[in-house]
Amino acid sequence: MSLLSLRVDPDPVLCRPAQPVARVDEEIRRLAQDMIETMYANDGIGLAAPQVGRDLQLFVASPTRERGRELVVVNPVLEAARGRNSIVEGCLSVPQVWEKVPRATWVRLRGLDGTGTPFALETEGLLAIVLQHETDHLQGRLFLDRLPWWHRRRLPRLTRRRACA
Ligand code: NI
């Protein structure tokens, strides 16, 4: 296993919708394991493939930070979302910035797991927020893009100006 280097805003790979994974093979499984190690090494609870420079619809998450309980999600689709929730979020691609982001409370997500098996997950709380944050990454969106304009205006200029904006 190896640690991967993180891409940081304004890297253009963070702006593009990622490509669907054609097949969950050994290479994808290895990438997911490396992403899990990289996420833990950087004290993250989620990490999407574009954040390590890979243009693929893949993310890993571990809101409880429990070893062996990580979620590997391939080609995710957020099918439904309900309610309003917000917590202070950070992102490994946006260092030193923490902001309260409007999100849904409850989501239903469909995708493939780390073995390529289809699954659907209905969840709320922190996991629901992580799923929304990571799915956003795969659409080329950062949590900064979810902030209301009056809130974005207060951010430092460099944080506000994204390469893809
Ligand atoms: Ni992030």
Side-chain angles (χ1 to χ4, degrees):
M1 259 177 262
S2 47
L3 294 182
L4 308 168
S5 60
L6 291 173
R7 300 299 184 92
V8 170
D9 185 50
D11 188 312
V13 74
L14 299 170
C15 306
R16 298 192 286 263
Q19 295 300 310
V21 172
R23 208 165 70 88
V24 181
D25 56 12
E26 194 47 42
E27 195 193 330
I28 292 293
R29 279 192 287 274
R30 195 173 320 122
L31 174 60
Q33 285 308 311
D34 288 346
M35 285 170 57
I36 287 169
E37 290 308 313
T38 304
M39 171 180 72
Y40 283 134
N42 291 280
D43 290 324
I45 56 173
L47 187 65
Q51 295 183 272
V52 293
R54 301 296 300 270
D55 181 19
L56 290 169
Q57 296 264 344
L58 162 68
F59 71 76
V60 298
S62 179
T64 60
R65 299 183 200 240
E66 259 181 275
R67 286 270 174 183
R69 300 284 308 271
E70 300 86 8
L71 215 58
V72 174
V73 184
V74 174
N75 299 343
V77 179
L78 266 184
E79 286 191 325
R82 280 205 292 271
R84 282 177 183 212
N85 193 8
S86 64
I87 60 163
V88 174
E89 296 183 28
C91 179
L92 296 178
S93 294
V94 190
Q96 309 302 322
V97 181
W98 292 272
E99 297 291 339
K100 210 166 177 183
V101 184
R103 300 284 189 190
T105 309
W106 173 97
V107 296
R108 182 169 65 234
L109 175 134
R110 190 178 291 282
L112 306 177
D113 68 14
T115 69
T117 308
F119 75 95
L121 174 64
E122 295 184 2
T123 190
E124 52 190 8
L126 181 59
L127 178 56
I129 287 177
V130 174
L131 297 179
Q132 291 168 80
H133 181 118
E134 301 310 326
T135 306
D136 268 357
H137 271 299
L138 302 183
Q139 301 303 322
R141 219 176 278 133
L142 298 182
F143 76 101
L144 301 172
D145 303 321
R146 293 283 184 192
L147 299 175
W149 66 268
W150 65 86
H151 189 155
R152 281 187 78 166
R153 201 175 49 181
R154 292 205 319 261
L155 297 174
R157 182 174 288 278
L158 271 175
T159 306
R160 213 184 319 151
R161 202 189 67 230
R162 299 196 50 209
C164 37

